[in-house]
Amino acid sequence: MLNRPNDQAFGDPAVREPALDVEEAHVDMANALRALAMDAVERAKSGHPGMPMGMADVATALFTRFMKVDPSRPNWADRDRFILSAGHGSMLLYAIHHLIGYADMGIDEIKRFRQLGAVTAGHPEYGHTFGVETTTGPLGQGLTTAVGMALAERMMNARFGDEIVDHHTYVIAGDGCLMEGISHEAIDLAGHLKLGKLIVLWDDNGISIDGRTTLSTSTDQLARFRASGWDVASVDGHAYHAVVDAIAEARRSDRPSLIACRTTIGFGAPTKAGTEGAHGAPLGATEIEGARQRLGWSHPPFEIPENVRAAWLGVATRGRAAREDWETRLAASGRRAEFEARIEGELPADFDEKLTAYKRELSETRPNVASRKASEMVLGIINAATDLTLGGSADLTHSNLTLTKGLGSVAPGDYAGRYVHYGIREHAMSAVMNGLALHGGFIPYGGTFLVFSDYARGGIRLSALMGQRVVYVFTHDSIGLGEDGPTHQPVEHLAMLRATPNLHVFRPADAVETLEAWQLALHAEGTPSVLALSRQNLPTFRTEHTDENLTGYGAYVARKPKRRRDVTLLATGSEVEIAFRAADMLALRDVDAAVVSMPCWELFETQSADYRRQVLGTAPRVAVEAAARLGWDRWIGERGRFVGMNGFGASAPAPELYQHFGITPAGVVDAVCDILTCA
Amino acid sequence: MLNRPNDQAFGDPAVREPALDVEEAHVDMANALRALAMDAVERAKSGHPGMPMGMADVATALFTRFMKVDPSRPNWADRDRFILSAGHGSMLLYAIHHLIGYADMGIDEIKRFRQLGAVTAGHPEYGHTFGVETTTGPLGQGLTTAVGMALAERMMNARFGDEIVDHHTYVIAGDGCLMEGISHEAIDLAGHLKLGKLIVLWDDNGISIDGRTTLSTSTDQLARFRASGWDVASVDGHAYHAVVDAIAEARRSDRPSLIACRTTIGFGAPTKAGTEGAHGAPLGATEIEGARQRLGWSHPPFEIPENVRAAWLGVATRGRAAREDWETRLAASGRRAEFEARIEGELPADFDEKLTAYKRELSETRPNVASRKASEMVLGIINAATDLTLGGSADLTHSNLTLTKGLGSVAPGDYAGRYVHYGIREHAMSAVMNGLALHGGFIPYGGTFLVFSDYARGGIRLSALMGQRVVYVFTHDSIGLGEDGPTHQPVEHLAMLRATPNLHVFRPADAVETLEAWQLALHAEGTPSVLALSRQNLPTFRTEHTDENLTGYGAYVARKPKRRRDVTLLATGSEVEIAFRAADMLALRDVDAAVVSMPCWELFETQSADYRRQVLGTAPRVAVEAAARLGWDRWIGERGRFVGMNGFGASAPAPELYQHFGITPAGVVDAVCDILTCA
């Protein structure tokens, strides 16, 4: 039999929660996780046994001694967050959830691991399974999302105090998480902001899919984290008490902590332990049999002895007591309603009224401003009307215009502010915003140039997959940014974002549409939004006020034809002005054009077929957008024409670029006259 | 007048190249760069004066004492590479190029900074301006591309020896480059591989766009780089001799080196120096006047005194001598033809013959394999037929099947191999491959899952913008990957890649098309390629051999209708089999279907209108692809139907997922019978 995990002398971990009676039980408790993991993967004929088996001791230490969760109230606001950043080890999470009694995680679901409709998806999916705090799988996302959660905790604490908000964020991260670039952005930001309640347990097993990690990395991770202001420690990840001590020590720090847990991947497997063979495939019957012997685990698959079950249920008992204490404190605080509305993210009752009043003002004053500037003006109203919003930018504040008066900066040790300087870290910004939204209490928005949505793709996709109310303020949304040239000019990005499921991509054409887009974004509780905004000024064409949010239709007729509709010009954003001017020119040539503004394709797609037919019309259609054509054929049809970009941009003043690429009223007229007879 | 940069005692930098007589001249030489930068930005009314003014002394030290370039032969293979990773400081580069005499960089071009068609684009653009080694601007890309160049240098050195290949790669990186996540991937990989001839000069000015870098970062960069195996040093970036000494010391190291150059952004500007105000906007006439006084530079805009010009031209003189020596050594080596063919990336004369012979074999043996497996089989032939190819994977070698027999691994200090373990670093892989391709001598290909193209977007876009022959092997290309679930199942990624200009996106449907896609990718000297490959097995339908590469048409009729064409089924990759089976089912219902395989939309778009009409036909069209619809309307037209994904995937065995999402022969038949009368 394999040496049992080494019991070191038990120190005083200064754990506030009462310790479970696990002095004897912890080895079996960990082995229960190992057995469930290897057996579920075997039954599914697919999955990753190595990480759960390697990290079972660490997870047991964390949950038995520290984790504050109440499985009967998975969404309790002051629970500790546990993030399995190495999401492929999902069976570790599911096994724990099964044993501590989450209602959805019966043994039948464990047996249905990775089957259609089971809560035991291949990777943990937020919203699909109780207690899964965030969707993980793409490596590094969980770690970075956890930074957002830990930041949200400090910010909510700054607003509600220790009695109501005081919880930890624990992460299990693998070598992959620490090799991905996003991990640098995460640890730099977390260290800078002194997120002391963030504790990362690194599964330091020295193995990646290709083989030993020494094939591709030599970084001293402890030194690296230390360089970014973290506390660091290294322990034998199979030594329960050493792990307990390290976590206790980490909890005492006012800096984020990394604990390197030296483990053996696939711990217990007789021939595959310590090798990449244990990582991502079923172990096979013989290996599993051998593992049972080595671990001293004689129980049949999916059977857990009562004493082990009872020991694990202690985690739930302790959590329930903590939650009940907290409910009492919350009730006594006199701030229950305020707190709950905040956590739910409820906009104030007069929110829309204020926005609509400002919309009327915009229709009257008709500002000729860039839509990024309009966004700033609207944010001034929004940020005064609600304090749920939390601004930020990836170091382009004065370009994105995301900062409004009176929002203080979030700073190390001072979390009262409402503006995050994310640094030059687009990817982390997206994932941190996911964490802020998931935690509750904030509606995060963050800015960068539209072209750098490239760098944030990984996080944007998870915003959409998890249905989080996150707002991406992507300015400088076309060749209209001018001289910075093709590296800074988005071309394919609108298509990339429009192709992403459950993402609203707004490209407003004037100040009124910008306001409407913001209004829709803030109300879309299950959908992230992108606001693609211009650098250059745009006239206000929505000069007739409507209480109704026309952008909510996704597309609408912005200029009616005079008599008959000879052609329909479709446009978004800064090109709506071009369509209007083309319509004027066409009128001189006896062509009667309607102009349709299409600020949000996704919302237009949800309208009735009748409405869509009415907007698109039966006349030929010409679209104009300073971007790639991909996707436009749906709207212009086979007879249609597209005026836009055929390749990358160039460096020059914006007006010259529009001329150079033929994205002009005259270009639109030419396209129309190519399919119609023009006078 | 401002204190002139501090002249420290001049040590012995062990510089092999003869030093210029710059003891007295270097201050004026640096000020010439500053003046050209601030004046060009002022004239353009746009640009970034702060970095060139801050780094002028460092650049002067580098170029006067070390850089080995011959402006009369910008593409000399053994030149040092200089990478301005902080690409917004482009005027630094252009000013140097002007002064050392690149033929395209006359003073008129400096005056046309950022104007349409000028070689002085807002950011340095590869292929647009002599001596620009790579396109920079998106932060961190230059640094990481430089890692690829430094790796290529060592690998070419391993093949041709010190006499023919022996050059350095120098990088100027800013705070932004070091904050971006990709920088972690770059320095981890470079440190691991001991790329001792890579020297990074960090413009450590403490300023980012939002303000002081202390707003968002506290990382000790020296400690961070040291943790990843770099040599580090910190110098006063305005002390010429200290910089010279530090570079000389770095050149002696067998590890990559970071030199933190403490500088003042906008050095010389009376009120804006040391502030974000100097970063990204013209200084204004008054500030420029003040800078001239402080710097002691009395010359009018764009005028450089003869003695300063002469000093700078010494760089070119030294470079030309070095290049001529090298030409002599190359001629004497007896390997000139071999070396030049290699640098040009010429495939062997019998390359296509070997591939075509194997294609015939595949048509005959008709393997039923995943296209990722077919890719491995084809790579076996390719990697034996040419040693230009350089494989790799972001730690998914056994899933991507990118490693063929006999390719040794590239390892620290041992660069003879042909396979790079990129680690879990998709972004770095893309940028490093760009660097390998730009350097010359290799055709890099690298693998990951298609969904993780998200993480590599920044690098992929630059492959396309720079027109580099880089091959992305993206396997597990749909819900066909099965149990790993929605985080691992691409949906919008084909659209994202197809929307990208100058990128060929291949989704081959069987082993024969996979071979043809590889053949096209390797011949596309100015275009990167994506191969989207299946996890699941696909039958070979191309059972009739053609010498001609049908995939080169982008789309072709794979199954002719029997009598008349009632409907055309369009499909790519793994869904072509579904289309075939649907056609069989439709035949039973008296519907005569053509099946069109569309492995590469971009190539299809380049065919004649006649050919496209002939392939697409006039009958209604139904497309089937296990991906987002965006883009398909172009091919199916207004009457058409699309069978594919409407949202994210799910975790289950692949066949169940295809059923669940209705992407089946029956689903296609239903779609057809929705628009046609079926018996």
Side-chain angles (χ1 to χ4, degrees):
Chain A
M1 191 174 129
L2 195 74
N3 279 340
R4 288 204 160 204
N6 175 29
D7 278 8
Q8 296 187 358
F10 181 62
D12 170 16
V15 186
R16 289 172 312 168
E17 296 81 15
L20 300 173
D21 179 20
V22 292
E23 290 310 296
E24 297 306 315
H26 65 81
V27 175
D28 282 341
M29 291 174 80
N31 282 337
L33 302 179
R34 292 189 173 97
L36 286 171
M38 67 184 179
D39 291 335
V41 169
E42 191 68 16
R43 185 176 177 114
K45 301 188 189 66
S46 160
H48 301 77
M51 191 282 237
M53 296 174 77
M55 285 295 278
D57 298 308
V58 172
T60 302
L62 174 66
F63 273 80
T64 54
R65 303 302 293 266
F66 303 100
M67 270 300 287
K68 185 176 76 171
V69 286
D70 178 0
S72 72
R73 295 289 187 284
N75 296 327
W76 168 33
D78 199 38
R79 70 191 181 280
D80 287 342
R81 301 319 195 255
F82 173 67
I83 309 302
L84 190 74
S85 190
H88 52 272
S90 57
M91 264 312 302
L92 179 70
L93 188 74
Y94 300 147
I96 294 169
H97 280 201
H98 171 64
L99 291 169
I100 65 177
Y102 279 91
D104 62 344
M105 196 57 75
I107 196 72
D108 286 346
E109 289 298 293
I110 301 286
K111 291 179 184 170
R112 293 184 61 228
F113 181 51
R114 294 184 153 230
Q115 305 308 302
L116 193 62
V119 300
T120 45
H123 290 78
E125 303 286 343
Y126 173 80
H128 184 74
T129 310
F130 289 155
V132 169
E133 304 286 1
T134 183
T135 295
T136 50
L139 295 174
Q141 293 290 334
L143 169 64
T144 316
T145 303
V147 172
M149 293 178 179
L151 176 59
E153 192 270 350
R154 283 296 83 192
M155 293 196 298
M156 285 294 277
N157 176 279
R159 286 150 178 80
F160 290 93
D162 289 345
E163 293 291 299
I164 300 179
V165 182
D166 183 14
H167 54 267
H168 282 81
T169 303
Y170 297 102
V171 177
I172 287 183
D175 292 298
C177 294
L178 301 195
M179 289 175 80
E180 290 287 2
I182 191 175
S183 69
H184 169 58
E185 304 184 14
I187 71 171
D188 191 2
L189 187 62
H192 174 69
L193 290 174
K194 295 199 190 304
L195 300 177
K197 305 189 85 171
L198 174 65
I199 297 175
V200 175
L201 302 155
W202 166 34
D203 181 14
D204 179 15
N205 62 30
I207 293 292
S208 72
I209 291 176
D210 274 12
R212 304 287 309 167
T213 51
T214 50
L215 273 175
S216 58
T217 183
S218 311
T219 290
D220 175 345
Q221 293 288 357
L222 298 187
R224 173 193 173 207
F225 276 75
R226 207 183 291 116
S228 288
W230 288 54
D231 270 336
V232 300
S234 180
V235 297
D236 176 350
H238 300 297
Y240 175 87
H241 292 303
V243 174
V244 168
D245 290 351
I247 296 173
E249 179 70 24
R251 287 166 53 106
R252 282 192 285 266
S253 170
D254 63 352
R255 302 195 289 179
S257 297
L258 173 76
I259 303 172
C261 305
R262 285 172 280 105
T263 64
T264 300
I265 191 171
F267 184 92
T271 71
K272 294 185 177 174
T275 75
E276 65 270 28
H279 169 79
L283 294 177
T286 312
E287 190 80 3
I288 287 178
E289 179 55 33
R292 280 193 145 70
Q293 285 183 20
R294 289 190 159 231
L295 294 168
W297 185 265
S298 55
H299 315 286
F302 307 110
E303 287 188 19
I304 307 293
E306 265 321 302
N307 64 326
V308 176
R309 282 199 179 278
W312 271 108
L313 283 173
V315 174
T317 307
R318 189 187 64 207
R320 173 186 288 246
R323 199 255 308 158
E324 287 169 351
D325 286 353
W326 177 85
E327 300 273 7
T328 307
R329 295 199 300 276
L330 180 63
S333 73
R335 300 182 70 187
R336 180 175 200 130
E338 181 196 353
F339 180 81
E340 287 177 348
R342 173 109 205 183
I343 282 286
E344 290 302 314
E346 290 170 15
L347 292 167
D350 61 355
F351 182 77
D352 288 316
E353 197 183 309
K354 287 179 178 169
L355 269 190
T356 303
Y358 190 57
K359 184 161 75 163
R360 180 184 295 278
E361 191 184 321
L362 289 173
S363 291
E364 287 164 2
T365 56
R366 305 174 187 184
N368 183 39
V369 295
S371 49
R372 63 179 173 138
K373 178 67 184 172
S375 169
E376 181 187 46
M377 292 155 58
V378 173
L379 275 172
I381 305 296
I382 290 170
N383 288 339
T386 177
D387 57 0
L388 281 172
T389 46
L390 178 77
S393 167
D395 197 49
L396 286 169
T397 293
H398 312 309
S399 297
N400 303 142
L401 303 179
T402 34
L403 178 61
T404 64
K405 224 188 323 197
L407 302 189
S409 290
V410 174
D414 177 2
Y415 309 101
R418 289 177 59 193
Y419 196 82
V420 181
H421 293 279
Y422 286 103
I424 301 137
R425 305 185 186 103
E426 299 80 8
H427 205 175
M429 180 171 74
S430 65
V432 167
M433 290 202 294
N434 287 339
L436 291 161
L438 287 162
H439 180 279
F442 300 94
I443 306 174
Y445 68 85
T448 186
F449 288 169
L450 176 57
V451 80
F452 299 134
S453 59
D454 281 348
Y455 277 41
R457 261 295 299 165
I460 296 169
R461 186 168 210 253
L462 283 181
S463 305
L465 181 54
M466 295 193 285
Q468 291 304 295
R469 182 168 47 169
V470 166
V471 186
Y472 292 95
V473 182
F474 289 153
T475 69
H476 297 63
D477 69 347
S478 74
I479 52 167
L481 81 70
E483 293 88 343
D484 275 344
T487 55
H488 284 53
Q489 291 162 357
V491 172
E492 67 272 37
H493 300 78
L494 291 170
M496 163 178 104
L497 296 163
R498 286 170 178 155
T500 306
N502 193 38
L503 178 65
H504 290 165
V505 182
F506 295 100
R507 192 163 185 254
D510 73 356
V512 172
E513 279 194 5
T514 304
L515 181 146
E516 291 180 335
W518 266 112
Q519 187 173 30
L520 292 159
L522 295 174
H523 280 290
E525 294 189 11
T527 303
S529 297
V530 162
L531 274 67
L533 302 173
S534 75
R535 180 192 186 203
Q536 70 270 39
N537 285 349
L538 308 175
T540 298
F541 70 88
R542 287 279 298 281
T543 54
E544 199 169 310
H545 174 72
T546 60
D547 278 358
E548 195 179 26
N549 186 320
L550 300 186
T551 299
Y553 291 98
Y556 61 95
V557 178
R559 169 189 162 128
K560 293 203 178 84
K562 302 280 180 245
R563 306 169 308 276
R564 56 175 197 268
R565 200 197 281 211
D566 294 327
V567 67
T568 300
L569 307 180
L570 309 174
T572 74
S574 45
E575 284 72 71
V576 170
E577 180 191 4
I578 291 174
F580 269 95
R581 290 166 54 202
D584 289 343
M585 289 166 69
L586 285 166
L588 300 176
R589 298 178 70 173
D590 200 28
V591 174
D592 199 352
V595 173
V596 169
S597 179
M598 301 190 74
C600 184
W601 291 12
E602 298 78 22
L603 291 175
F604 186 55
E605 284 171 22
T606 67
Q607 306 304 315
S608 69
D610 262 5
Y611 177 80
R612 281 184 282 146
R613 259 195 302 272
Q614 181 191 321
V615 170
L616 293 174
T618 52
R621 294 185 287 272
V622 172
V624 52
E625 183 173 67
R629 176 185 186 127
L630 198 96
W632 271 106
D633 289 271
R634 173 151 189 184
W635 311 121
I636 60 178
E638 285 161 80
R639 287 181 303 165
R641 290 288 184 280
F642 175 70
V643 177
M645 298 293 290
N646 290 315
F648 292 105
S651 171
E656 288 177 43
L657 290 175
Y658 272 93
Q659 287 292 333
H660 177 72
F661 291 110
I663 305 173
T664 59
V668 174
V669 168
D670 285 351
V672 170
C673 296
D674 192 38
I675 45 177
L676 288 184
T677 311
C678 295
Chain B
M1 190 173 133
L2 195 77
N3 279 339
R4 288 205 161 202
N6 176 28
D7 278 9
Q8 296 187 359
F10 183 61
D12 170 17
V15 185
R16 289 172 311 171
E17 297 79 15
L20 301 172
D21 179 18
V22 292
E23 289 311 297
E24 298 306 315
H26 65 81
V27 175
D28 281 342
M29 291 174 79
N31 283 338
L33 303 179
R34 291 189 174 98
L36 286 171
M38 66 184 182
D39 291 333
V41 169
E42 192 68 14
R43 186 177 177 113
K45 301 187 188 69
S46 160
H48 300 76
M51 190 281 237
M53 296 174 77
M55 286 295 279
D57 298 308
V58 172
T60 302
L62 174 66
F63 274 80
T64 54
R65 302 303 293 263
F66 303 101
M67 270 299 288
K68 184 178 74 171
V69 287
D70 179 359
S72 72
R73 294 289 187 285
N75 296 326
W76 167 32
D78 199 37
R79 71 193 179 277
D80 287 342
R81 301 321 194 252
F82 173 66
I83 310 301
L84 191 74
S85 190
H88 52 272
S90 56
M91 263 313 301
L92 180 69
L93 188 73
Y94 302 147
I96 294 170
H97 281 203
H98 170 65
L99 292 170
I100 66 178
Y102 279 91
D104 61 346
M105 196 57 76
I107 196 71
D108 287 345
E109 289 297 293
I110 300 286
K111 291 180 184 170
R112 292 183 62 227
F113 181 49
R114 293 184 155 231
Q115 304 310 303
L116 193 62
V119 300
T120 45
H123 290 78
E125 304 286 344
Y126 173 81
H128 183 73
T129 310
F130 289 154
V132 169
E133 303 286 2
T134 183
T135 295
T136 51
L139 295 173
Q141 293 291 335
L143 170 63
T144 316
T145 303
V147 172
M149 292 179 180
L151 176 58
E153 191 269 351
R154 284 296 84 194
M155 293 196 299
M156 286 294 278
N157 176 277
R159 286 151 177 79
F160 289 93
D162 289 344
E163 292 291 301
I164 301 179
V165 182
D166 184 13
H167 55 268
H168 281 80
T169 303
Y170 298 102
V171 177
I172 286 184
D175 292 298
C177 294
L178 301 196
M179 289 175 80
E180 290 288 2
I182 191 174
S183 68
H184 169 57
E185 303 184 15
I187 72 172
D188 191 1
L189 187 61
H192 175 70
L193 291 175
K194 295 198 192 303
L195 300 177
K197 304 187 87 170
L198 174 64
I199 296 175
V200 175
L201 301 155
W202 167 33
D203 181 14
D204 180 13
N205 61 30
I207 293 293
S208 72
I209 291 176
D210 274 11
R212 306 284 311 164
T213 52
T214 51
L215 273 175
S216 59
T217 183
S218 311
T219 291
D220 176 343
Q221 294 288 357
L222 297 187
R224 173 193 173 209
F225 275 75
R226 206 183 292 116
S228 287
W230 287 54
D231 270 336
V232 299
S234 179
V235 297
D236 175 351
H238 300 297
Y240 176 87
H241 292 303
V243 174
V244 168
D245 289 350
I247 296 173
E249 179 70 26
R251 286 165 53 106
R252 282 192 285 266
S253 170
D254 62 351
R255 303 195 290 179
S257 297
L258 173 77
I259 302 172
C261 304
R262 284 173 283 104
T263 64
T264 300
I265 190 171
F267 184 93
T271 72
K272 294 185 178 174
T275 76
E276 64 271 28
H279 169 77
L283 295 177
T286 312
E287 189 80 4
I288 287 178
E289 179 55 34
R292 282 194 144 69
Q293 284 183 21
R294 288 190 161 231
L295 294 169
W297 184 265
S298 55
H299 315 288
F302 308 111
E303 288 189 18
I304 307 292
E306 266 321 303
N307 64 326
V308 176
R309 281 199 182 280
W312 271 109
L313 283 173
V315 174
T317 309
R318 189 186 64 208
R320 173 186 288 245
R323 198 253 311 157
E324 286 168 353
D325 285 353
W326 176 86
E327 301 274 7
T328 308
R329 294 198 300 276
L330 180 63
S333 73
R335 298 182 70 187
R336 180 177 200 130
E338 181 194 355
F339 180 79
E340 287 178 347
R342 174 108 205 184
I343 282 287
E344 291 300 314
E346 289 169 16
L347 293 166
D350 60 355
F351 182 75
D352 287 316
E353 195 183 313
K354 286 179 177 169
L355 269 190
T356 303
Y358 190 56
K359 183 161 78 162
R360 180 185 295 279
E361 189 182 322
L362 289 173
S363 290
E364 286 165 2
T365 56
R366 306 176 186 185
N368 183 37
V369 295
S371 49
R372 63 178 171 140
K373 178 68 186 172
S375 168
E376 180 186 48
M377 291 155 57
V378 173
L379 275 172
I381 304 297
I382 290 170
N383 289 338
T386 175
D387 57 0
L388 282 171
T389 47
L390 178 76
S393 167
D395 197 47
L396 286 168
T397 293
H398 311 309
S399 297
N400 302 141
L401 304 178
T402 34
L403 178 60
T404 64
K405 224 188 322 196
L407 302 189
S409 290
V410 174
D414 177 2
Y415 308 101
R418 289 178 58 193
Y419 196 82
V420 181
H421 293 279
Y422 285 105
I424 301 136
R425 306 186 186 103
E426 298 81 6
H427 205 175
M429 181 171 73
S430 64
V432 167
M433 289 201 295
N434 287 339
L436 291 161
L438 287 161
H439 180 279
F442 301 94
I443 305 174
Y445 68 85
T448 185
F449 288 169
L450 177 58
V451 80
F452 299 135
S453 59
D454 281 349
Y455 277 40
R457 261 296 296 164
I460 296 169
R461 186 170 209 254
L462 283 182
S463 306
L465 181 52
M466 294 192 285
Q468 291 304 295
R469 182 168 48 169
V470 167
V471 186
Y472 293 95
V473 183
F474 289 153
T475 69
H476 297 63
D477 71 347
S478 75
I479 52 168
L481 83 71
E483 292 89 343
D484 275 344
T487 55
H488 284 53
Q489 291 161 359
V491 171
E492 66 273 35
H493 300 77
L494 290 171
M496 164 179 103
L497 296 163
R498 286 169 178 157
T500 306
N502 192 37
L503 179 65
H504 290 164
V505 183
F506 294 99
R507 192 162 184 254
D510 73 356
V512 172
E513 280 194 4
T514 304
L515 180 145
E516 290 180 336
W518 266 112
Q519 187 173 30
L520 292 159
L522 295 174
H523 280 290
E525 293 189 13
T527 304
S529 298
V530 162
L531 274 66
L533 302 173
S534 76
R535 180 193 186 201
Q536 69 270 36
N537 286 349
L538 307 175
T540 297
F541 70 88
R542 289 277 299 280
T543 54
E544 200 168 309
H545 174 72
T546 60
D547 277 359
E548 194 178 28
N549 186 320
L550 300 187
T551 299
Y553 290 98
Y556 60 94
V557 178
R559 169 190 160 128
K560 294 205 177 83
K562 301 281 180 245
R563 304 170 308 279
R564 55 175 199 266
R565 199 197 282 212
D566 294 327
V567 67
T568 300
L569 307 181
L570 309 175
T572 74
S574 45
E575 283 73 70
V576 171
E577 180 190 4
I578 291 175
F580 269 95
R581 289 166 53 202
D584 289 343
M585 290 166 68
L586 285 166
L588 301 176
R589 297 179 68 175
D590 200 26
V591 174
D592 199 352
V595 173
V596 169
S597 179
M598 300 189 74
C600 183
W601 292 12
E602 297 79 21
L603 290 175
F604 186 54
E605 283 170 24
T606 66
Q607 304 306 313
S608 69
D610 262 3
Y611 178 80
R612 283 185 281 145
R613 259 195 302 272
Q614 181 191 324
V615 169
L616 294 173
T618 53
R621 295 186 286 272
V622 171
V624 52
E625 183 172 68
R629 175 185 185 128
L630 198 96
W632 272 106
D633 290 270
R634 173 153 191 182
W635 311 121
I636 60 178
E638 283 156 320
R639 288 180 302 167
R641 290 288 185 279
F642 175 69
V643 177
M645 298 294 291
N646 290 314
F648 291 105
S651 171
E656 289 178 42
L657 290 175
Y658 272 92
Q659 287 293 330
H660 177 72
F661 291 109
I663 305 172
T664 58
V668 174
V669 168
D670 286 351
V672 170
C673 296
D674 192 37
I675 44 176
L676 289 183
T677 310
C678 294

